[in-house]
Amino acid sequence: MGEPCLSDRPVIVGAGLAGLMTALHLNASAPCPVTVLSSAPLGTEASSAWAQGGVAASVGPDDASSMHVADTLAAGAGLCDALAAGRILQGAASAIAHLAALGTRFDRDEAGELKLGLEAAHGRRRIVHAEGDATGREIMRAVIAAVHACPAITVLEGVDARRLLLRDGRITGVLAGRRNPDGRDEAIRLASTQVVIATGGIGGLYAQSTNPSTCFGGGLALAARAGAVLSDLEFVQFHPTALDAPGTPAALVSEAVRGEGARLVDETGRRFMADVPGRELAPRDVVSRAIWAERQAGHQPYLDARGLIEGGFATRFPTIAAACHAHGIDPDREPIPVRTVEHYHMGGIAVDEAGRSTVPGLWACGEAARTGLHGANRLASNSLLEAMVCARSVADSLLSSRLLAAEPVEGQALPPSELPRRPDPAPLRETVSAMVGVLRARAGLVAGIEALLPIARGCSAQADPALVALMIAVAALARRESRGGHYRTDWDETDPWQASSRSLTMADALRLATRAIARDPA
Ligand code: SIN
């Protein structure tokens, strides 16, 4: 590890849209040297690049930010922070303009106006998209090109953060690991008083998810071990319509397909959402549970998109068409088999309006952060927008606190043997899926907590994934009601007295887990 390094540039952990936009905003008006840690080659392991539907933005002539806020609050089932929602959603038009200026080729009509799609629980067509259903890929192409063109941004590929370094409760740096060609991990220590967590979601904890399998909530584990407060952890969103075909991660069949009129049917052609308010475009948790229930009852759910798109399905949804064709399914001729899979985590590192966590020197943005926008259930396509708007707030906050900063500090010097092992969530996936899936209940939560607690306390490659899963389970056990993405079969009503967000530290979670096991051993 050598001598402590005194360089003090911001370190961004994660290179999806939130992380890269933070780096670009830091350099918007003057060069600001910044280091971005990317565990994989840029763009290859980021959920942002896989986003299909698009970016929700109230830019249509019949729309207004206040309408977008109202739909977001309704989906959030009483747990959104209305001020945060107003602030973030108001930034939509300028975020879209910024991306267009970076070179993102959004889909437009002949007059040059943005084409707007519809998704579930949106009262208006307001989904801005690119290359049909390849919105994330096109946005990330433009953003990555801008990052490469900015000499002040250093991207360290193949490097993943393993611990945050602290002194007197303040961030002093990041201890990271890099896999050498011989397969061994090398420790890298980056001294910095400003660290941003932008590591994305938790889908890698589940057997079936639309996220890259490396996204297991690593940033949540880093922040929790540093003493940060995490909020709304029990709220996990499941996407109702992933392609039901072998392989993981699951291919998404965007909600935009239902926005174009596709119907959910079973193997007999019965439209099982026909009597549910909102039908196929009901809130995502409602549709997810309906599909889950159909499968439990022995039915095969399908999405029937035949004859919807003039010129053929692939003209509007080329990515989904390719995924279907790869499994021998022709969406123009046959219904698409679908299943419910993990998709998005509403909870995360609790941050204020500037993206500051409760640990001095630690910021968070993107899916890893809990801003209050999503509440108990995220409105479709609000997350790319949140990532862009909050990246700007984080960059502004970093820049203004740099002006006030004292001298660069020394980080802790750790011997190489203390580099934690490269995390591997795979052995935990069946446990996590059974414990905090679409449906939860006390017995399953306590059994999962009992299995995870010793692992989270240990130092194996499963320690960090187990800690994140444990904290989600403890939060789910404490919420004795059903709301949004959190559905308890043993507490299946929404309780108006529980309409508030809840927070946990790692110490709280370990204490509550121990108590739950003692009270109710599996
Ligand atoms: C989709 O395209 O259905 C996903 C959009 C989202 O999750 O925001």
Side-chain angles (χ1 to χ4, degrees):
M1 301 278 287
E3 288 302 301
C5 160
L6 287 176
S7 76
D8 187 23
R9 36 160 67 196
V11 175
I12 299 172
V13 183
L17 185 62
L20 296 184
M21 288 302 290
T22 303
L24 288 174
H25 281 304
L26 280 171
N27 284 280
S29 46
C32 172
V34 53
T35 303
V36 180
L37 306 187
S38 177
S39 59
L42 271 194
T44 59
E45 297 262 328
S47 302
S48 317
W50 297 3
Q52 293 182 356
V55 185
S58 53
V59 293
D62 61 346
D63 206 356
S65 183
S66 57
M67 294 180 186
H68 189 177
V69 171
D71 290 343
T72 298
L73 300 188
L79 251 62
C80 295
D81 174 336
L83 287 178
R87 182 174 44 78
I88 293 167
L89 301 179
Q90 248 173 30
S94 73
I96 297 290
H98 187 192
L99 284 175
L102 290 179
T104 306
R105 297 176 293 239
F106 288 115
D107 294 334
R108 295 177 186 272
D109 63 19
E110 280 92 44
E113 298 298 329
L114 292 164
K115 286 188 181 172
L116 300 174
L118 180 66
E119 288 183 355
H122 284 276
R124 291 283 184 278
R125 282 193 167 261
R126 61 167 73 100
I127 313 301
V128 177
H129 48 88
E131 300 194 351
D133 57 6
T135 312
R137 193 176 67 206
E138 169 58 10
I139 290 174
M140 287 296 279
R141 180 200 60 74
V143 169
I144 289 170
V147 165
H148 285 320
C150 180
I153 302 175
T154 303
V155 179
L156 299 181
E157 292 183 340
V159 175
D160 64 300
R162 306 273 172 93
R163 286 291 176 268
L164 298 174
L165 304 178
L166 293 147
R167 179 158 292 169
D168 300 330
R170 301 186 72 84
I171 292 291
T172 57
V174 176
L175 176 64
R178 170 163 51 200
R179 179 152 293 179
N180 284 325
D182 64 7
R184 282 189 306 145
D185 268 354
E186 175 195 9
I188 300 175
R189 191 172 57 79
L190 299 129
S192 177
T193 50
Q194 297 187 314
V195 173
V196 181
I197 300 286
T199 48
I202 59 160
L205 291 174
Y206 284 80
Q208 293 173 338
S209 166
T210 57
N211 296 182
S213 51
T214 47
C215 288
F216 72 90
L220 274 56
L222 294 174
R225 290 194 190 279
V229 168
L230 277 57
S231 296
D232 289 344
L233 293 177
E234 62 273 39
F235 296 107
V236 179
Q237 184 170 77
F238 294 83
H239 199 289
T241 56
L243 181 63
D244 188 9
T248 182
L252 186 65
V253 181
S254 174
E255 215 153 81
V257 179
R258 278 175 279 139
E260 296 300 333
R263 294 174 170 208
L264 285 164
V265 295
D266 70 6
E267 68 287 349
T268 67
R270 178 178 56 95
R271 190 179 177 190
F272 55 83
M273 294 297 292
D275 299 329
V276 177
R279 296 181 165 175
E280 280 81 2
L281 292 178
R284 197 170 273 183
D285 61 303
V286 174
V287 185
S288 287
R289 281 196 297 279
I291 291 187
W292 183 266
E294 286 294 312
R295 290 180 72 93
Q296 294 301 106
H299 295 293
Q300 170 63 59
Y302 290 93
L303 189 60
D304 190 349
R306 287 175 293 180
L308 284 183
I309 311 287
E310 209 182 304
F313 188 83
T315 59
R316 169 71 176 86
F317 300 111
T319 309
I320 303 168
C324 288
H325 284 294
H327 292 281
I329 300 157
D330 180 351
D332 285 311
R333 292 174 179 276
E334 59 197 311
I336 304 166
V338 291
R339 67 182 181 201
T340 295
V341 304
E342 194 282 342
H343 184 59
Y344 191 88
H345 193 202
M346 275 72 76
I349 302 163
V351 295
D352 66 10
E353 70 287 352
R356 283 178 296 237
S357 78
T358 54
V359 174
L362 186 65
W363 283 254
C365 55
E367 189 171 347
R370 182 271 177 198
T371 61
L373 172 64
H374 307 306
N377 192 20
R378 181 185 63 112
L379 189 65
S381 290
N382 266 357
S383 40
L384 292 182
L385 175 60
E386 181 192 44
M388 289 186 289
V389 173
C390 294
R392 184 189 288 261
S393 310
V394 166
D396 289 347
S397 175
L398 287 168
L399 288 170
S400 52
S401 55
R402 279 183 94 65
L403 294 176
L404 304 172
E407 289 298 296
V409 295
E410 279 187 20
Q412 295 164 341
L414 295 182
S417 60
E418 291 191 33
L419 178 69
R421 292 177 61 185
R422 178 175 287 252
D424 174 14
L428 304 181
R429 286 185 182 135
E430 293 303 330
T431 302
V432 177
S433 304
M435 175 182 71
V436 278
V438 176
L439 309 180
R440 296 108 186 249
R442 178 175 178 83
L445 289 165
V446 174
I449 288 170
E450 192 162 6
L452 291 170
L453 183 59
I455 307 173
R457 282 196 162 126
C459 52
S460 71
Q462 282 74 53
D464 281 0
L467 175 63
V468 178
L470 181 82
M471 292 183 75
I472 294 170
V474 166
L477 186 63
R479 186 169 285 281
R480 289 193 277 175
E481 65 158 352
S482 291
R483 180 184 295 275
H486 170 70
Y487 192 91
R488 291 269 306 250
T489 53
D490 48 352
W491 292 94
D492 61 357
E493 303 274 322
T494 300
D495 174 0
W497 294 102
Q498 297 190 50
S500 59
S501 194
R502 298 199 185 144
S503 298
L504 274 179
T505 62
M506 179 176 77
D508 296 331
L510 295 178
R511 187 173 39 79
L512 292 169
T514 307
R515 194 192 294 169
I517 296 167
R519 184 181 300 165
D520 197 1

